[in-house]
Amino acid sequence: STQARIVILGGGAGGMAMANRLSRRLDGARISLVEPREVHHYQPGWTLVASGVWNPDKTMRPNARFVPNGVDWVRQPAAGIDAANRRVELGDGSWLDYDYLIVATGLQLNYQLIDGMTPELVGSHGIGSVYASIEGAARTRDAIDAWIAQGSGKGIFTAAPTPVKCAGAPLKMTFTTLSRLEASGRRDAFQVEFMAPGAALFTQPYINDFVKQRFDDQGVTRRHHYRLSAIDPQAREAEFTFVGPESEFTSHHELREEEFSREGERKVVASYDFIHVVPPMSAPDFVKASDLIAQDGPFRGEWLEVDIHTLQHKRYPEVFGIGDVIGAPINKTAASVKAQAPVVEANLIAQMQGQALSRRHNGYTSCPMITGIGKAMLVEFGYDNDFAFLPSFPFIDPKDESWVAWVMKDRMLQPAYYAVLEGQA
Ligand code: FAD
C-alpha cells in the first residue's frame, strides 16, 4: 500500500492505459488523470475514414467508459509543469502536487509553421490532412472525392520535416488514393507527386525501399529534400523549400524549370488540385516550456527527455514518459504504447520502491502499411539492428502484402487498442 500522489498528464492511449494499470496495481495510491476531453478518439482509424472506408462514428467512444473507479479525472488541460517543485499548473490556474508524474500528452500539430495553413482549411480548396482531427479526416475524404469527381488534375502528397505519429500515414494516404484513382477508371488523367523532406520515406529500411519502388511503379513522382513551407489556398499553390543537402539531391524525375520562382532556386512553387498536408509535430507548448524538455541531442527543445529504454526522465527520476510525446528515434504509434505501458508500470513501481529499473522498452512499433484498399503489410520493428523487423505473428511475413494484414487493420486492431486502454493488453 502507498499514499503516493501520482499525476498522469493526458488520457489518450498512453495515459489511459497507465491509469488502469496503476489503479489496479497500487493499493491506496492517489491517482489523478488530467484530461480535458470527454471523447476518446481511435486515431489509427482516421486513415480509414479519410480513405472513405470507415464512418467517423466508428472511431469515437466516451472517455468515461475507460476511466477506472478510484482515479480522480481532472477534466481540464494542464497548462504548465513546475518540475523542480513537483507540481502541475491546471487550466484554471490551480496547482496539482505530485510525487510521481507520467507525461502522456501526445504531440502537438504545428500547422502554423506552414505559412497560410490552418487546420480549418482542411476540406476546402483541395486541401486534405488526415492528422487534423476526426472531422478533418472526414473532410479529407470529401476533398479527395471532389478531386476524383473532377476527373483529372494534380495531387501532391507531403511529409513533415519532424518526427510524426504513425509515420506510415502520409504514405498510406497516397496508396489508398491511388487505389481510388485506379477505381475511377481514369488513373492516367491524374498526376500524383510525393514531396519528402529527407532522402528516406520511412525509417525501416526494407519498407523504405519497397515504398519507393512501389511509388515509381505506380507513376508517383518523388521529390526529396523539400518541405512544405507555404500554401495559397485561393490560388491552389504550394511553396516548398529545399532542405538539402544538395549533393544528396535525388529527385526521381527532373524538376521542371518553370516551377522555380519567387525567391530563387531554393524554393519551388507547385500548383495542385488536391494537396495532402502533413504538419510539423512536436511536444505540446506547455511541455516545451518546462524543464522536462530535452536539453540536448536530436530532440532538444522539441520532445520530452527520457531514457528511450527505461522511459524514465533523465534528470527527474520521479517523472516518466509514454507515447507520442517522448524523444525517441522511432515509436509514436499506439502499438508502441502497448509495448511501453508494462515497462512504465514496472519501472515506476521499482522507482517507488527504491529498486533498480529492470524493464526495458525495445522500441517496438508497428504500422499496418496500407498499400492499397484491401491490402496491407504488417510492419513491426524496434530500435536494434538497424530497425530490424520484430514480427509477432508467425503466419504473417512483414515483407508480404496481404489481405490478412488489411483485415487486421480493418477489424482486429481496434478491439486490441481498447484492451490496451483498459490496461489488459
Ligand atoms: P494520444 O492518444 O494522442 O493522447 C494524448 C491525450 O493527451 C489526448 O487525450 C489529449 O486530449 C491529451 N492532452 C493534450 N494536451 C493536454 C493537456 N495540456 N493537458 C491534459 N491533457 C492533454 N498508431 C498505430 O499503432 N497504428 C496505426 O495504424 C496508427 N495510425 C494512425 C493514423 C493517424 C492518422 C494518426 C493521427 C495516428 C495514428 N496512430 C497509429 C498513432 C496513435 O494514435 C498514437 O501513437 C497514440 O494515440 C499515442 O498515444 P498518446 O497517449 O501518446 O497520445
Side-chain angles (χ1 to χ4, degrees):
S1 142
T2 171
Q3 290 295 301
R5 294 161 304 178
I6 301 172
V7 170
I8 303 171
L9 295 185
M16 197 64 82
M18 293 317 302
N20 277 289
R21 283 175 171 272
L22 295 175
S23 69
R24 198 174 308 149
R25 184 80 183 268
L26 295 171
D27 202 17
R30 285 173 287 163
I31 302 173
S32 300
L33 178 65
V34 182
E35 170 58 64
R37 292 183 140 156
E38 290 295 326
V39 174
H40 186 96
H41 293 277
Y42 176 63
Q43 299 172 60
W46 293 2
T47 323
L48 293 171
V49 170
S51 303
V53 180
W54 275 19
N55 189 302
D57 297 347
K58 203 176 148 136
T59 62
M60 290 177 265
R61 299 279 188 282
N63 260 330
R65 204 174 121 173
F66 303 108
V67 179
N69 286 332
V71 166
D72 177 27
W73 177 7
V74 180
R75 287 167 148 95
Q76 52 172 321
I81 306 165
D82 176 4
N85 295 304
R86 298 187 185 181
R87 55 185 197 150
V88 168
E89 187 180 11
L90 299 174
D92 67 3
S94 64
W95 293 87
L96 201 55
D97 293 324
Y98 63 81
D99 298 306
Y100 300 93
L101 179 71
I102 298 175
V103 183
T105 56
L107 54 68
Q108 174 174 292
L109 305 169
N110 296 316
Y111 284 103
Q112 76 285 359
L113 297 179
I114 302 165
D115 282 348
M117 179 65 198
T118 66
E120 290 72 36
L121 283 167
V122 175
S124 67
H125 307 94
I127 298 173
S129 185
V130 68
Y131 285 105
S133 58
I134 182 59
E135 295 79 16
R139 292 199 305 262
T140 297
R141 173 201 60 204
D142 297 342
I144 295 169
D145 283 347
W147 178 41
I148 295 173
Q150 190 180 304
S152 66
K154 180 159 80 175
I156 301 179
F157 291 78
T158 67
T162 65
V164 298
K165 50 183 162 183
C166 192
L171 308 171
K172 299 179 205 179
M173 286 311 303
T174 315
F175 282 126
T176 58
T177 305
L178 286 166
S179 279
R180 302 193 56 208
L181 293 175
E182 271 153 29
S184 78
R186 295 177 53 90
R187 170 66 186 89
D188 292 345
F190 295 95
Q191 276 172 274
V192 180
E193 301 193 355
F194 196 93
M195 302 291 279
L201 297 181
F202 197 73
T203 310
Q204 208 290 326
Y206 179 90
I207 299 299
N208 181 47
D209 291 345
F210 178 94
V211 171
K212 284 182 172 178
Q213 184 64 51
R214 183 54 65 84
F215 276 179
D216 295 351
D217 294 346
Q218 290 194 282
V220 177
T221 305
R222 284 193 278 126
R223 293 177 182 182
H224 291 273
H225 303 299
Y226 280 96
R227 74 174 172 85
L228 178 60
S229 44
I231 198 159
D232 180 344
Q234 302 300 334
R236 296 204 182 200
E237 280 184 347
E239 176 202 82
F240 293 88
T241 299
F242 185 64
V243 285
E246 208 89 48
S247 57
E248 278 181 36
F249 182 71
T250 53
S251 173
H252 182 66
H253 294 256
E254 288 304 309
L255 279 169
R256 275 156 299 158
E257 287 296 326
E258 69 268 20
E259 287 188 356
F260 284 99
S261 64
R262 292 198 196 168
E263 291 157 51
E265 288 201 333
R266 310 300 289 182
K267 293 185 195 283
V268 41
V269 175
S271 61
Y272 59 83
D273 297 283
F274 171 75
I275 187 166
H276 187 253
V277 175
V278 178
M281 304 185 194
S282 69
D285 284 341
F286 85 96
V287 178
K288 282 204 219 181
S290 79
D291 196 38
L292 298 180
I293 205 74
Q295 301 295 302
D296 46 39
F299 310 116
R300 181 166 167 234
E302 297 290 312
W303 302 98
L304 187 76
E305 183 174 297
V306 292
D307 178 292
I308 63 168
H309 294 107
T310 65
L311 305 174
Q312 183 182 42
H313 198 277
K314 288 186 185 167
R315 288 171 289 119
Y316 293 93
E318 68 282 7
V319 177
F320 287 78
I322 187 169
D324 294 345
V325 71
I326 70 166
I330 51 172
N331 291 298
K332 306 208 195 303
T333 61
S336 299
V337 166
K338 176 182 161 105
Q340 291 166 358
V343 175
V344 174
E345 177 185 341
N347 287 345
L348 173 66
I349 288 171
Q351 180 68 29
M352 292 169 85
Q353 295 173 343
Q355 291 165 1
L357 275 49
S358 58
R359 283 289 289 265
R360 288 171 71 80
H361 176 52
N362 65 1
Y364 176 86
T365 185
S366 163
C367 164
M369 179 64 76
I370 299 172
T371 52
I373 292 185
K375 59 186 176 172
M377 298 160 93
L378 198 65
V379 180
E380 301 171 283
F381 58 104
Y383 296 139
D384 294 343
N385 305 317
D386 194 20
F387 308 115
F389 287 127
L390 292 172
S392 47
F393 300 93
F395 55 93
I396 302 182
D397 185 336
K399 297 179 177 176
D400 279 352
E401 285 173 283
S402 69
W403 182 73
V404 175
W406 166 268
V407 171
M408 290 198 61
K409 171 75 191 169
D410 189 20
R411 301 194 202 146
M412 291 161 71
L413 292 175
Q414 190 176 16
Y417 173 94
Y418 292 130
V420 172
L421 291 194
E422 287 160 3
Q424 285 160 4

